[in-house]
Amino acid sequence: MIALLEARRAGLLGRQHWMSNLIAGVVVGVVALPLAMAFAIASGAKPEQGLYTAIVAGLLVSICGGSRLQIAGPTGAFIVILSGVTAKYGIAGLQLATLMAGLILLVFGLTRMGAVIKFIPDPVIVGFTAGIAVIIWTGQWPDFFGLPPAQGAHFHEKLWHMLQSFPQWHPATTGLAVLSLLLVLYSSRLPGLKRIPGPLVAMVVATVVQAIFQFDGVVTIGSAFGGIPQGLPSFALPEITASRVIELIGPAFTIAILGAIESLLSAVVADGMAGTRHNANQELVGQGIANMVAPLFGGFAATGALARTATNVRNGGNSPLAGITHAVFLLLVLLLLAPLAADIPLPALAAILFVVAWNMSEARHFLRMTRRAPRADVVILLVTFSLTVFADLVVAVNIGVILATLHFLRRMSSSVAVTAQGSQELKKEFGHRGFTDLPPGLLVYALEGPFFFGAAENFERTLSNIHAYPRILIIRLKWVPFIDITGLQTLEEVIGSLHKRGVLVKLSGANERVSEKLERAGIVELVGREHVHPAFDEALASATDLIASGEPLRPPPRPQS
C-alpha cells in the first residue's frame, strides 16, 4: 500500500484532487472496456473474464502496488502464453497458473528482486515483444476475415493453413473489421469524437451496424459465448493437485517474469511522464496479490498496462483513486450494460487487436536496432524474435537471456587485463617518490578488472607464459573490485605452481572485500602473511630488501588442507 500511503502523505487524496482522478479513471475505464474483452477472447477465455480481471486486478494493484499511477489489467503481451496454457490445460489450468504466477511475483517483491528484473537486456525485451505482436496479428486473421479456425500445432503450420483458407474469406465480416480498423485509427479526427477512445468508437459503431443489419455469418459475442452474464463474479478456488502444479511451473514462471517486466516498464514510463518515483519491489508485491486473487473471481493473469497507464496520466490522474475509479466503472458497466454486449462483433475486437499488435511491435524501434546496434545485440534480438514466433515464448526468453549473459561475460572477460609492469610504467606512477628501477630478479604484474570465472583463464595463461622466472613476483590487486571462487582457485593454482619453481609471491593492494575472500580461501596463509601488503610501495620495499640481502628465498610451505 506504499503508493496509496504516499499519495495520502502528498495530499493527493484531498477533495481538491477528486474530480481530476475520477475523470481520468472513467476515461481509462472506457479505454479498458473493449481491450479487456478482446484480450480475454484472444487468450482463450470468455469476454466477461477479461472484465473480471480488469476489475479485480485493477483495484488491488491500485491499492497494494508501488506506483500511484499504474493501471493494471489483461494485456496483449500475455496473449501468446495464456492462449497456449488454455489450449493445453483449459481455463482451470490457466487460472491455477495465474495463481502460481501471483505467488512467484509476491516472492520476487518480498525478496527485493525488483531491481534485478530491470537487468533483462533490451534486445531480449524488444525481440520477444515484437514476436508476440506478430503472433497476435496473425492469430486474429480468422476473426478479422471470417476464416475457419487455424489448424496446426506450430506457427508456420497455422500460417500456411490460413493462407490456404483465404479464398473462403467472409465479405461482411471483413467489411465490419475494416470499418472498425479505420475507426480505431482515425475516429479522433472526426468532429466531436476527438476525446473518445478509438477502440470504443469502433466497438460501438460495429455493434450498432451488426444489430441493425444482422449480417449472416458474422460472429458476435452472443453467438460465440452466449453473451456476457449480468452480475458479480462468484468466488471459486481452482482445483490444485501436485501433478497439475508441477506441469504448470514453467508457464507460471513465464507469466510472472513477463508480468514483472511489463509492470515495471509501465511504472518507469509513468514516472517519466509525471515526475513520480515508483517502488519496484512493492509494485511486484501488488502485482502478486492481484494475480493471486483475480483467478479466485473468474479472472486470469494481469499486469501493468502501459497504454492505460499513460492514458491515466494524460487525463490528469495523479493518485490510486484513478485506478480504483477505473475498476468501479467497469463493475458498473458489467452490472448495468452487460446484455448490450451480445451484438458486439468479433471482427471489431480483432481490428482493435490489430492496432494493439502494431503498437506492441515497436516496428520502428526494432528496425532501428537492427541497423544501429552492435552485431551481437542484433543476433540476440533476431534469435529471440524468431524463437518467440516459431518455437515458444519460454524458450525464446530463456535462450535470449542466456545469449545476452554469455555475451556480457565474454566482453567482461576480455576487459580484464593482466599486464607486466616494468620500470618505465612504475616510474610514471612512483617517480615522485624517488623510484628508479626494479632490481634484477623482481617482476610485477597488475590485474585490472573483476577476477571472475570468465577472466581466470586469461590470468593463468599470462603468468604461465613467463619465460624467465624471477626470484620474487608481486601481483598487484589494487584494481580488482571483486573475486569469485574460480578466481580464487586459479590464483591458488598459479601461486602453487610458482612456489614449485622457487618463486616467492607477494600480493599487494587488495581492497577489504577481496582481502576477506583471500583470507577465507587460505591464500593469505599460502603466500605467507608477511608477503601480503596493503600498499604496493610496501611490497616493493620488502621485495627489494629481500633481493638485496642475497639470502636464498624459500616460499612458505604449502598449508595442510
Side-chain angles (χ1 to χ4, degrees), residues 399-435:
I399 291 181
V401 170
I402 290 171
L403 288 176
T405 303
L406 292 176
H407 175 56
F408 171 76
L409 292 175
R410 187 184 68 83
R411 287 190 296 183
M412 285 291 292
S413 63
S414 63
S415 68
V416 177
V418 184
T419 56
Q421 293 190 314
S423 297
Q424 290 184 348
E425 290 84 4
L426 294 173
K427 281 179 181 178
K428 293 178 182 178
E429 188 176 356
F430 298 103
H432 63 285
R433 299 187 187 180
F435 174 83

Side-chain angles (χ1 to χ4, degrees), residues 73-131:
T75 65
F78 276 147
I79 288 176
V80 175
I81 187 67
L82 299 190
S83 59
V85 174
T86 305
K88 189 172 182 178
Y89 302 103
I91 195 67
L94 172 61
Q95 291 175 326
L96 178 56
T98 299
L99 193 152
M100 293 167 60
L103 181 60
I104 294 170
L105 283 167
L106 184 62
V107 172
F108 281 171
L110 294 177
T111 54
R112 309 186 70 79
M113 293 285 287
V116 177
I117 297 296
K118 299 176 184 178
F119 294 151
I120 295 179
D122 197 41
V124 177
I125 295 174
V126 174
F128 78 69
T129 303

